[in-house]
Amino acid sequence: MRERFEIKPATLRDAHPIRHLEMAAFPKDAYSYLNITTLLMWPGGAHFKAVDEQDLLVGFISATPDWGKHIDWIVTLGVHPDYHNRGLGRRLLVMAENAMSQPRLRLTVRASNTAAIHLYTSADYVPCFTEPRYYSDGEDGIVMEKIRFAE
């Protein structure tokens, strides 16, 4: 039997399940409940969740605009570890990209997260610079960018 997942808009009602997902997906870097609620209320943001057949939240993405710099940021993209390698990360990424309007998209990824870097590279993101010691444990963050159209 093939699993079915649905991508839906995420709302403030999803803040607690998103927090639990963040803790499972990013044990070192999970956003706080306050960060998550702020993201979900950000003007112009795009927030989507992936749910399974029992409506269990198994993935989440949040993107926010930086209108002054003409950049949309993928702030977080997480899939529960039990649901990796099922195409959910790519589906969430496409949904967020389609919902945003700026010519450039950026995100930051741990330098050691080769699976995520592969996903982003395959979606036409390229490394543009490194943020030294970006993460709380001192690991560098790689900022990747996708140019969708000329400004």
Side-chain angles (χ1 to χ4, degrees):
M1 185 172 105
R2 184 177 160 98
E3 291 177 299
R4 293 180 190 233
F5 299 98
E6 186 176 357
I7 308 295
K8 302 178 178 181
T11 69
L12 276 174
R13 290 182 178 177
D14 298 307
H16 285 292
I18 291 168
R19 170 71 174 137
H20 290 289
L21 172 72
E22 280 275 323
M23 291 187 300
F26 308 112
K28 298 178 188 177
D29 308 312
Y31 279 114
S32 70
Y33 178 75
L34 179 60
N35 292 138
I36 292 164
T37 56
T38 301
L39 276 175
L40 290 168
M41 293 187 300
W42 199 266
H47 319 288
F48 296 97
K49 61 184 178 180
V51 296
D52 67 7
E53 293 170 327
Q54 289 79 41
D55 211 35
L56 175 69
L57 189 139
V58 298
F60 173 69
I61 190 166
S62 180
T64 60
D66 182 340
W67 290 291
K69 295 183 180 178
H70 305 288
I71 298 171
D72 288 325
W73 280 90
I74 305 296
V75 178
T76 186
L77 167 56
V79 174
H80 192 282
D82 293 344
Y83 294 86
H84 282 184
N85 300 313
R86 299 179 196 195
L88 293 174
R90 180 170 304 280
R91 287 179 60 195
L92 287 164
L93 184 60
V94 168
M95 289 292 290
E97 288 177 349
N98 289 340
M100 301 307 287
S101 63
Q102 298 299 311
R104 292 183 289 155
L105 291 156
R106 283 192 179 169
L107 55 85
T108 306
V109 61
R110 274 185 174 272
S112 64
N113 192 343
T114 55
I117 292 168
H118 175 74
L119 168 66
Y120 301 135
T121 301
S122 71
D124 298 326
Y125 287 80
V126 296
C128 55
F129 60 92
T130 299
E131 288 282 356
R133 303 184 56 79
Y134 178 82
Y135 292 96
S136 62
D137 63 356
E139 185 171 351
D140 292 349
I142 299 171
V143 176
M144 300 184 77
E145 181 177 72
K146 178 177 186 173
I147 299 175
R148 300 189 300 172
F149 49 87
E151 295 181 50

Coordinates of all heavy atoms in Angstrom, one line a residue, residues 36-81:
I36 N 8.3 29.9 16.3 CA 7.3 29.3 15.4 C 6.1 30.1 15.2 O 5.6 30.4 14.1 CB 7.0 27.9 15.8 CG1 8.3 27.0 15.6 CG2 5.9 27.3 15.0 CD1 8.2 25.7 16.3
T37 N 5.5 30.6 16.4 CA 4.3 31.4 16.3 C 4.6 32.7 15.6 O 3.8 33.2 14.8 CB 3.7 31.7 17.7 OG1 4.7 32.3 18.5 CG2 3.2 30.4 18.3
T38 N 5.8 33.3 15.8 CA 6.2 34.5 15.1 C 6.2 34.3 13.5 O 5.7 35.1 12.7 CB 7.5 35.1 15.6 OG1 7.4 35.3 17.0 CG2 7.9 36.3 14.9
L39 N 6.9 33.2 13.2 CA 6.9 32.8 11.7 C 5.6 32.7 11.1 O 5.3 33.2 10.0 CB 7.7 31.5 11.5 CG 9.2 31.5 11.5 CD1 9.7 30.1 11.4 CD2 9.7 32.3 10.3
L40 N 4.7 32.0 11.8 CA 3.3 31.8 11.3 C 2.5 33.0 11.2 O 1.5 33.1 10.4 CB 2.6 30.7 12.2 CG 3.2 29.3 12.1 CD1 2.6 28.4 13.2 CD2 2.9 28.7 10.7
M41 N 2.9 34.1 11.9 CA 2.2 35.4 11.8 C 2.9 36.4 10.9 O 2.4 37.5 10.7 CB 2.0 36.0 13.2 CG 1.1 35.1 14.1 SD 0.7 35.9 15.6 CE 2.3 36.1 16.4
W42 N 4.0 36.0 10.3 CA 4.8 37.0 9.5 C 4.1 37.4 8.3 O 3.6 36.6 7.5 CB 6.2 36.3 9.1 CG 7.2 37.3 8.7 CD1 7.5 37.7 7.5 CD2 8.1 38.0 9.6 NE1 8.5 38.6 7.5 CE2 8.9 38.8 8.8 CE3 8.3 38.0 11.0 CZ2 9.8 39.7 9.3 CZ3 9.2 38.8 11.5 CH2 10.0 39.7 10.7
P43 N 3.9 38.7 8.1 CA 3.2 39.2 6.9 C 3.9 38.7 5.6 O 5.1 38.8 5.4 CB 3.3 40.7 7.0 CG 3.7 41.0 8.4 CD 4.4 39.8 8.9
G44 N 3.1 38.2 4.7 CA 3.6 37.8 3.4 C 4.3 36.4 3.4 O 4.8 36.0 2.3
G45 N 4.3 35.7 4.5 CA 5.0 34.4 4.6 C 4.2 33.3 4.0 O 3.0 33.4 3.7
A46 N 4.9 32.2 3.7 CA 4.2 31.0 3.2 C 4.6 29.9 4.1 O 5.8 29.6 4.4 CB 4.7 30.7 1.7
H47 N 3.6 29.2 4.6 CA 3.8 28.2 5.6 C 3.0 27.0 5.2 O 1.8 27.1 5.1 CB 3.5 28.7 7.0 CG 3.9 30.1 7.3 ND1 5.2 30.4 7.4 CD2 3.2 31.2 7.3 CE1 5.3 31.7 7.6 NE2 4.0 32.2 7.5
F48 N 3.6 25.8 5.1 CA 2.9 24.6 4.7 C 3.3 23.5 5.5 O 4.5 23.4 6.0 CB 3.2 24.3 3.2 CG 2.7 25.3 2.2 CD1 3.6 26.3 1.8 CD2 1.4 25.3 1.8 CE1 3.1 27.3 0.9 CE2 0.9 26.3 1.0 CZ 1.8 27.3 0.5
K49 N 2.4 22.5 5.7 CA 2.7 21.3 6.4 C 2.4 20.1 5.6 O 1.5 20.2 4.7 CB 1.8 21.3 7.7 CG 0.3 21.3 7.4 CD -0.5 21.3 8.7 CE -2.0 21.4 8.4 NZ -2.8 21.4 9.6
A50 N 3.1 19.0 5.8 CA 2.8 17.7 5.2 C 2.1 16.9 6.3 O 2.6 16.8 7.4 CB 4.0 17.1 4.7
V51 N 1.0 16.3 5.9 CA 0.3 15.4 6.9 C 0.1 14.1 6.3 O -0.1 13.9 5.0 CB -1.0 16.0 7.4 CG1 -0.8 17.3 8.2 CG2 -2.0 16.3 6.2
D52 N 0.1 13.0 7.1 CA -0.2 11.7 6.6 C -1.7 11.4 6.6 O -2.5 12.3 6.8 CB 0.6 10.6 7.4 CG 0.1 10.5 8.8 OD1 -0.9 11.1 9.2 OD2 0.8 9.7 9.6
E53 N -2.0 10.1 6.3 CA -3.5 9.8 6.2 C -4.2 9.9 7.5 O -5.5 10.1 7.5 CB -3.6 8.3 5.7 CG -3.1 8.2 4.3 CD -3.0 6.8 3.8 OE1 -2.6 5.9 4.7 OE2 -3.2 6.5 2.6
Q54 N -3.5 9.9 8.7 CA -4.2 10.2 9.9 C -4.1 11.6 10.4 O -4.4 12.0 11.5 CB -3.5 9.3 11.0 CG -3.9 7.8 10.9 CD -3.0 7.1 9.8 OE1 -1.8 7.4 9.7 NE2 -3.7 6.3 9.1
D55 N -3.7 12.5 9.4 CA -3.6 14.0 9.7 C -2.5 14.3 10.7 O -2.5 15.3 11.3 CB -4.9 14.6 10.1 CG -5.1 16.0 9.6 OD1 -4.6 16.3 8.5 OD2 -5.6 16.8 10.4
L56 N -1.5 13.4 10.8 CA -0.3 13.6 11.6 C 0.7 14.5 10.9 O 1.0 14.2 9.7 CB 0.3 12.3 12.0 CG 1.6 12.4 12.8 CD1 1.3 12.9 14.2 CD2 2.3 11.0 12.8
L57 N 1.1 15.6 11.5 CA 2.1 16.5 10.8 C 3.4 15.8 10.8 O 4.0 15.4 11.8 CB 2.2 17.8 11.6 CG 3.0 18.9 11.0 CD1 2.3 20.2 11.1 CD2 4.4 18.9 11.5
V58 N 3.9 15.6 9.5 CA 5.2 14.9 9.3 C 6.3 15.8 8.6 O 7.4 15.4 8.5 CB 5.0 13.6 8.6 CG1 4.2 12.7 9.4 CG2 4.4 13.8 7.2
G59 N 5.9 17.0 8.2 CA 6.8 17.9 7.5 C 6.3 19.3 7.6 O 5.1 19.6 7.8
F60 N 7.2 20.3 7.5 CA 6.8 21.7 7.6 C 7.9 22.6 6.9 O 9.1 22.3 6.9 CB 6.8 22.1 9.1 CG 6.6 23.6 9.3 CD1 5.4 24.2 9.0 CD2 7.6 24.4 9.9 CE1 5.2 25.6 9.2 CE2 7.4 25.8 10.1 CZ 6.2 26.3 9.7
I61 N 7.4 23.6 6.3 CA 8.2 24.6 5.7 C 7.7 26.0 5.9 O 6.5 26.2 6.0 CB 8.4 24.4 4.2 CG1 9.5 25.3 3.6 CG2 7.1 24.6 3.4 CD1 10.0 24.9 2.2
S62 N 8.6 26.9 6.2 CA 8.2 28.3 6.3 C 9.1 29.2 5.5 O 10.3 29.1 5.5 CB 8.3 28.7 7.8 OG 7.9 30.1 8.0
A63 N 8.5 30.1 4.7 CA 9.3 31.1 3.9 C 8.8 32.5 4.2 O 7.6 32.7 4.4 CB 9.1 30.8 2.4
T64 N 9.7 33.4 4.3 CA 9.3 34.8 4.6 C 10.0 35.8 3.6 O 11.1 35.5 3.2 CB 9.7 35.2 6.0 OG1 11.1 35.1 6.2 CG2 8.9 34.4 7.0
P65 N 9.4 36.9 3.3 CA 10.0 37.8 2.3 C 10.9 38.8 3.0 O 10.6 39.2 4.2 CB 8.7 38.5 1.7 CG 7.7 38.5 2.8 CD 8.0 37.2 3.6
D66 N 11.9 39.3 2.3 CA 12.7 40.4 2.7 C 12.5 41.4 1.5 O 13.3 41.4 0.5 CB 14.1 40.1 2.9 CG 14.9 41.3 3.3 OD1 14.5 42.4 3.1 OD2 16.0 41.1 3.9
W67 N 11.4 42.1 1.5 CA 11.1 43.0 0.3 C 12.1 44.0 0.0 O 12.4 44.3 -1.2 CB 9.7 43.7 0.5 CG 8.6 42.7 0.5 CD1 8.1 42.1 -0.6 CD2 7.7 42.3 1.6 NE1 7.0 41.3 -0.2 CE2 6.8 41.4 1.1 CE3 7.7 42.7 2.9 CZ2 5.8 40.9 1.9 CZ3 6.7 42.1 3.7 CH2 5.8 41.2 3.2
G68 N 12.8 44.5 1.0 CA 13.8 45.5 0.8 C 15.0 45.0 -0.1 O 15.6 45.8 -0.8
K69 N 15.3 43.8 0.1 CA 16.4 43.1 -0.6 C 16.0 42.3 -1.8 O 16.8 41.6 -2.4 CB 17.3 42.3 0.4 CG 18.0 43.2 1.4 CD 18.9 42.4 2.3 CE 19.5 43.3 3.3 NZ 20.3 42.5 4.2
H70 N 14.7 42.2 -2.0 CA 14.1 41.4 -3.1 C 14.5 39.9 -3.0 O 14.8 39.3 -4.0 CB 14.5 42.0 -4.4 CG 14.1 43.4 -4.6 ND1 12.8 43.8 -4.7 CD2 14.8 44.5 -4.6 CE1 12.7 45.1 -4.8 NE2 14.0 45.6 -4.8
I71 N 14.4 39.4 -1.7 CA 14.8 38.0 -1.5 C 13.7 37.4 -0.6 O 13.2 38.0 0.3 CB 16.1 37.9 -0.7 CG1 17.3 38.5 -1.5 CG2 16.4 36.5 -0.3 CD1 18.6 38.7 -0.7
D72 N 13.3 36.2 -0.9 CA 12.5 35.4 -0.1 C 13.4 34.4 0.6 O 14.3 33.8 0.0 CB 11.4 34.6 -0.9 CG 10.3 35.6 -1.4 OD1 10.0 36.5 -0.7 OD2 9.8 35.3 -2.5
W73 N 13.2 34.2 1.9 CA 14.0 33.2 2.7 C 13.2 32.0 3.0 O 12.1 32.1 3.6 CB 14.5 33.9 4.0 CG 15.7 34.8 3.7 CD1 15.6 36.1 3.5 CD2 17.0 34.4 3.8 NE1 16.9 36.6 3.3 CE2 17.8 35.6 3.5 CE3 17.7 33.2 4.0 CZ2 19.2 35.6 3.5 CZ3 19.1 33.2 4.0 CH2 19.8 34.4 3.7
I74 N 13.8 30.8 2.8 CA 13.3 29.6 3.3 C 13.8 29.5 4.7 O 15.0 29.3 4.9 CB 13.7 28.4 2.5 CG1 13.3 28.5 1.0 CG2 13.1 27.1 3.1 CD1 11.8 28.6 0.7
V75 N 13.0 29.8 5.7 CA 13.5 29.9 7.1 C 13.7 28.5 7.7 O 14.7 28.3 8.4 CB 12.5 30.7 7.9 CG1 12.9 30.8 9.4 CG2 12.3 32.1 7.3
T76 N 12.8 27.6 7.4 CA 12.9 26.2 8.0 C 12.2 25.3 7.0 O 11.2 25.6 6.5 CB 12.4 26.1 9.4 OG1 12.7 24.8 9.9 CG2 11.0 26.4 9.5
L77 N 12.8 24.1 6.9 CA 12.2 23.0 6.1 C 12.6 21.8 6.9 O 13.8 21.4 7.0 CB 12.7 22.9 4.7 CG 12.4 21.7 3.9 CD1 10.9 21.4 3.8 CD2 13.0 21.8 2.5
G78 N 11.6 21.1 7.5 CA 11.9 19.9 8.2 C 10.9 18.8 7.9 O 9.7 19.1 7.8
V79 N 11.4 17.6 7.9 CA 10.6 16.4 7.7 C 11.0 15.5 8.9 O 12.2 15.3 9.2 CB 10.9 15.7 6.4 CG1 10.1 14.4 6.3 CG2 10.5 16.6 5.2
H80 N 10.0 14.9 9.5 CA 10.3 14.0 10.6 C 11.2 12.9 10.1 O 11.0 12.4 9.0 CB 9.0 13.4 11.2 CG 9.1 12.7 12.5 ND1 9.7 11.4 12.5 CD2 8.9 13.1 13.7 CE1 9.7 11.1 13.8 NE2 9.3 12.1 14.5
P81 N 12.2 12.5 10.9 CA 13.2 11.5 10.5 C 12.5 10.2 10.1 O 13.0 9.5 9.2 CB 14.0 11.3 11.7 CG 14.0 12.5 12.5 CD 12.6 13.1 12.2

